[in-house]
Amino acid sequence: MTKKKTSNSEEYLRMYTQMARIRAFEDQANKLYLSAKMPGLTHMYSGQEAVAVGICEALKKTDHITSTHRGHGHCVAKGAEFKQMFCELLGKEEGYCRGKGGSMHIADQANGNLGANAIVGGSAGIATGAALSAKNLGKDDVTVCFFGDGALGQGLLYEVMNMASLWSLPVIYACENNLYGEYTKVEEMAAGELTGRAKAFGIEAFELDGQDVLAVNNLSQKLVARARNGEGPFFIQLNTYRYHGHHVGDINREYYRPKDEEKYWKEERDPIINFGIWLAKENIATTAELQTLRDQVNQDAADAVAYALDASYPLAEEVDMHVFI
Amino acid sequence: MTKKKTSNSEEYLRMYTQMARIRAFEDQANKLYLSAKMPGLTHMYSGQEAVAVGICEALKKTDHITSTHRGHGHCVAKGAEFKQMFCELLGKEEGYCRGKGGSMHIADQANGNLGANAIVGGSAGIATGAALSAKNLGKDDVTVCFFGDGALGQGLLYEVMNMASLWSLPVIYACENNLYGEYTKVEEMAAGELTGRAKAFGIEAFELDGQDVLAVNNLSQKLVARARNGEGPFFIQLNTYRYHGHHVGDINREYYRPKDEEKYWKEERDPIINFGIWLAKENIATTAELQTLRDQVNQDAADAVAYALDASYPLAEEVDMHVFI
Amino acid sequence: MRSITLSQAVNEAIAEEMRRDETIFLLGEDVAEAGTPFKILSGLVEEFGTSRIIDTPISEPGFTGIAVGAAMTGSRPIVDLMFGDFLFLVMDQLCNQAAKTHYMSGGKLNVPMVLRTNLGATRRSAAQHSQSLHALVAHIPGVKVVLPSSAYEAKGLLKTAIRDNNPVVIFEDKLMYQDKSEVPEEEYLIPFGQANIVRQGTDITLVGTSSMVQVAEKAADILAKQGISAEVIDPRTIVPLDEDTILSSVRKTSRAIVIDEGHQSYGVTAEIASRISEGAFYHLDAPVQRMGAMDVPIPFSPALEDLTVPTPERVAIRAMALVKGELTYAI
Amino acid sequence: MRSITLSQAVNEAIAEEMRRDETIFLLGEDVAEAGTPFKILSGLVEEFGTSRIIDTPISEPGFTGIAVGAAMTGSRPIVDLMFGDFLFLVMDQLCNQAAKTHYMSGGKLNVPMVLRTNLGATRRSAAQHSQSLHALVAHIPGVKVVLPSSAYEAKGLLKTAIRDNNPVVIFEDKLMYQDKSEVPEEEYLIPFGQANIVRQGTDITLVGTSSMVQVAEKAADILAKQGISAEVIDPRTIVPLDEDTILSSVRKTSRAIVIDEGHQSYGVTAEIASRISEGAFYHLDAPVQRMGAMDVPIPFSPALEDLTVPTPERVAIRAMALVKGELTYAI
Ligand SMILES: Cc1ncc(C[n+]2csc(CCOP(=O)(O)OP(=O)(O)O)c2C)c(N)n1
Ligand SMILES: Cc1ncc(C[n+]2csc(CCOP(=O)(O)OP(=O)(O)O)c2C)c(N)n1
Ligand SMILES: [Mg+2]
Ligand SMILES: [Mg+2]
């Protein structure tokens, strides 16, 4: 952990809570899948919580984010509620997208989340466009584009980084390097240095421990402020790890990823555990208080799941609504 | 000029001739347009001759190139004949593509030219694929991908440079920076350093005076040899200039490009004039000999035009031939 | 009434709408000082400045994606795609993103963007600069598809497109940019989904889109000389499609030819012909005829290119055969 | 005869062809050790090594372009495109480059590549992972389009595709990967452009593609119980399309329904229905019916998704109405 500033204890606890909420959400989502109650597949964000929370806690509600197929964490971190999220995952009418989007398209317009995206790298243009829009309309909103290391393979990203740089747009490209894209290692997919991909376009680029929520938040605060000030764009590479398989169904994964590696990240690098230890050490919260907090969050998630399971599906009439406005 | 090696006088004269042939070809093509004998529009390569010739003279016949909308120079440099080229430009059956491709799709398979391309950047994949193919099939052929500064805007290029780097493919990306893409300056289209775009993918990149045919040829020889040897890919930025408008119809262009600038390049930086001066100075050829050579080349071009104007169009039956093989 | 070119009509439509609504901006290649290679947008950057008339790098997928994001967040972008053939480059952003956002978000997000591009062959521009690809976009739910057939149509339809809250793709006919037609000085809009009966007739219905409206009209002239009265219908928008106007006409005439410059197979003519066959089956005296572009890449050679697209003469010949009952089975 | 899954059939087809011809290689995302997310290609990298079964970065336009170039220079690449929805990303390389190269070069270059991808909804994968986009490719001259409807078909058609000297796109039905059918041990190829009469019948022709062949067969079962004899035809390839077999059938039955999982409007059903209406006009007792996917982005919610695609029940209902003469005008 990089920063000690107990005057911020409320913020710290909020970050801890948000990380815990993401973890709780994903644990429930995974259970839903394992108990065959979830339609389709979904991608767990567990392990990467410090990235979404560290960044989103540096944003205002009106700032925008774009998200990915692994998008629950971003959604929670940007302010979404469990109930509407679970309803969406289960295809229910009360879901954020009335059940029409599902996990891979969950969006939360009211909190500035422009949506998950099932096309890898597909939201790079959208994020950059939101930044251009803000600039053009005279708003000081900043947009964060979340994407995985795998999305570095998509040419679209380079096209829009070039324009963001040419036009000094208030956008931050947040590359979550969790070491894999599906079942392939990042080094087999990406030549050269990842941050070099942004520097080539004259974009200031940073590499960071994505498990350290304070470090992520500190840098984000600075870059968001600078972006608001017209000094953008920026690029951050956040080194992190996904605990689960590529999706909930990816159970036997030793052929591409050693168990030891998973063990190391889960036991030594867990962003929630480590931040908890630090909070206790700094006397911001006791271990027991943190436990209570996590219990509460877990209960909230379980309640929301129960609610969503009972909620109703959209009516058949909805099927051809919302094609056009 | 960077190299003096009079033992190579035959090669030097060949380079001079090839450059003169390109210039002669373009002058005739322009005349065809101005006299309304050319169907459609075409893009003149005049001014950039040292790039195509310097590079192609470093290649074997079985090496491949891919070309651009501004492709006559590459085509001549890779060994094509005037007659079939003019026939193609006029849509005649004896053209390299039986008149079906025209200027923007001229290809010369027999000499390893995989074709011009009317999609900016559209041949980056093709060139990289030709390199992969050569490697896979155990051939030692090298592929050169010609493209303009404007093509740096296309994401496809970054996707394939990444793969070329990951897989060490024998491909050379030759970026002809002629300062403009259509009516827009390169600095308004490209953020950062151009060579940085390749270095980001771990590709060795070079910047070079594209008006100096010997410099271009020397570097090309080296890189082609290294690529043949499995040390590719490489990237070369060749700084050059197009003398005409974006296409033959782009006549009033002062609003985007000052006359002075054109004058400077044409008078001070002409690759043919300057190489001619050097050849004379080195006693490789007299000014008169070079004049004779240029006269001959001009005559050849004029004869080929006359031939092509008289040649016949493909028969109507051809219209639905060659959709499938 | 004054006459202006289609190019001027487009320019006016954009200028008027941009004056009315500050959230509109336009982006694309060489749109500012150069005013596009077709000189359609000349003068706009002088009035609206470079933050609203934005020159982009040659990055079609990128700037289309940027437009999608801008449209989702309060702006109303107009994308200038220099050639319709470049649609292939932007399909993901247009069809996976823009077209689906409103639906996928359960109606919460929307994408009020216009993508202006063009169609049309016979300019000797060869296979990658001559395609008419509107059928591809029409197949994807969530995008409206507009095909103006004159300067008048172009202005009224483009203004409607700019005010629409959905993604709209408008295809201008490249060969028509310098064609003039009467265009009122006063503001007008042409609603989507309302076909135009260009000419009344009783013997046969010619449904023509975009460039093919003129072709149908000229064919109707030829037919008139033979005593055949052709009704010419311009659907104006193919999504939404005004089936009613087309069906009423065919129920009256009992014969129809659908003419479109896209490739014939799996294209626009098939959809319109099918809807006619479904909705006017018992009125039809003969199978609905389709005339699209040949199913070949557009050849460069003038000797070949002109063979690939429907012409007034070929339409008239087909119409006469139809009227004379010579097309009992397939062509 | 042994039965194997469609997934195994594809695997066998590729392995057999790769053994036969060393110039064939395969590339795509997670195709090597992972054997694709659908586990279709498991075992191939072990036999053929990483230079012939190539894992790529997530760069669909890039690796499709690479395949085009490789195909132009002596290799025969097979591109694995994980989801049919990603076609939008590769349209330029597929349709502007691969499809046109042979024609534009006057027959001198050719592009013997296969792009394997899939189609099909109802997997709860939502709007960007459920599309059936074969109509888009079929509209572009120069690409063959193949739609296998079983393991047997998949193997025979894929082998033909790999030996074809043109760009071929083959769409597998995602929901069928684990479906078994009888597949001989001996080598066989299924020629393109030759429809399969899956079941003989006299009262109505059901033309079904890909996933919809099973739907048509099940509908035929339902109809049989009602005393209605349906002929089921699987075109196998929609480019080239075997019009003759379809027309012969409709001339016999006088009624037809075309069923396809792509969106209905401007899609495959329109083309096939049009060809039937043109070629069997005077034999038709009622308008040809079209049943495609609804013109909506595919919704995630199971409650909605299942409504969007044709089912055996809905096909049977439509067929009965048709046979009973209830569909005199439009539906
Ligand atoms: C354009 C595209 N190609 C392929 C896929 C299939 N796919 C889904 S997630 C994924 C891996 C993405 O890796 P990364 O960006 O690193 O994100 P992570 O899953 O690691 O969070 C792939 C290949 C897709 N959804 N979109
Ligand atoms: C994908 C695509 N976008 C736009 C165009 C239109 N266009 C043709 S040439 C050109 C400029 C290309 O600039 P550059 O690559 O620098 O080549 P140069 O013309 O300078 O040789 C443009 C925009 C095109 N042909 N293809
Ligand atoms: Mg990853
Ligand atoms: Mg240039």
Side-chain angles (χ1 to χ4, degrees), chain B residues 30-42:
Chain B
N30 196 36
K31 263 193 223 157
L32 280 169
Y33 171 79
L34 294 173
S35 58
K37 286 179 185 145
M38 151 110 60
L41 292 170
T42 183

Side-chain angles (χ1 to χ4, degrees), chain A residues 39-40 88-89 91 99-102 104-105 117-120 150 153-154 181-184 189 255 313-316 319-320 323, chain D residues 30 33-34 37 39 57-60 82 86 89 123-129 294-297 299-304 307-308:
Chain A
E88 192 57 39
L89 262 63
K100 287 177 156 177
M104 288 210 289
H105 303 291
N117 209 304
I119 300 298
V120 167
Q154 292 284 330
E182 286 198 347
Y183 319 110
T184 303
M189 294 204 294
Y255 75 92
Y313 286 110
L315 298 178
V319 69
D320 58 1
V323 179
Chain D
D30 289 308
E33 286 74 17
K39 302 293 165 206
I58 309 174
S59 307
E60 288 83 2
M82 200 186 290
F86 308 159
L89 285 162
R123 287 179 78 248
R124 321 307 178 208
S125 303
Q128 293 173 344
H129 277 63
M294 264 189 191
D295 291 325
V296 305
F300 167 70
S301 183
L304 301 180
L307 303 171
T308 64

Side-chain angles (χ1 to χ4, degrees), chain B residues 32-89:
Chain B
L32 280 169
Y33 171 79
L34 294 173
S35 58
K37 286 179 185 145
M38 151 110 60
L41 292 170
T42 183
H43 309 82
M44 304 278 92
Y45 194 72
S46 313
Q48 306 185 195
E49 293 88 349
V51 175
V53 171
I55 291 177
C56 289
E57 285 297 311
L59 297 176
K60 293 184 306 182
K61 187 169 172 176
T62 53
D63 291 327
H64 288 113
I65 64 164
T66 63
S67 168
T68 68
H69 59 286
R70 197 175 302 289
H72 307 160
H74 311 130
C75 196
V76 170
K78 196 68 177 58
E81 298 295 339
F82 282 168
K83 269 190 194 170
Q84 285 117 295
M85 285 187 70
F86 279 118
C87 281
E88 192 57 40
L89 262 64

Side-chain angles (χ1 to χ4, degrees), chain C residues 132 135 257-271 288-296 308 310 318 331, chain D residues 138-141 243 267 270-271 274-275 278:
Chain C
S132 301
I257 305 182
V258 185
I259 315 150
D260 177 82
E261 205 178 333
H263 295 298
Q264 179 164 315
S265 285
Y266 302 95
V268 168
T269 61
E271 181 66 27
V288 180
Q289 300 298 307
R290 299 188 288 146
M291 298 184 75
M294 264 189 190
D295 292 325
V296 306
T308 65
R318 184 79 70 97
I331 296 296
Chain D
H139 184 52
I140 304 305
E243 211 175 286
E271 181 64 27
S274 290
R275 301 233 195 154
E278 289 157 9

Side-chain angles (χ1 to χ4, degrees), chain C residues 117-134:
Chain C
T117 190
N118 50 39
L119 56 70
T122 68
R123 287 179 78 248
R124 319 310 178 208
S125 304
Q128 294 173 343
H129 278 62
S130 307
Q131 295 169 88
S132 301
L133 297 176
H134 43 301

Side-chain angles (χ1 to χ4, degrees), chain A residues 119-121 149-156 158 188-191 197, chain B residues 125 155-164 166-167 201, chain D residues 27-30 55-67 79-82 86 89-90 93:
Chain A
I119 300 298
V120 167
D149 47 287
L152 292 169
Q154 292 284 330
L156 179 75
Y158 304 98
E188 288 166 31
M189 294 204 294
R197 308 289 182 93
Chain B
L156 179 75
L157 181 68
Y158 303 98
E159 299 190 1
V160 300
M161 286 203 299
N162 182 40
M163 287 183 265
L166 284 170
W167 305 337
F201 297 93
Chain D
L27 81 176
E29 294 152 17
D30 289 308
D55 266 345
T56 63
I58 309 174
S59 307
E60 288 83 2
F63 65 72
T64 303
I66 285 176
V79 173
D80 183 290
L81 191 70
M82 200 186 290
F86 308 159
L89 285 162
V90 308
Q93 291 300 309

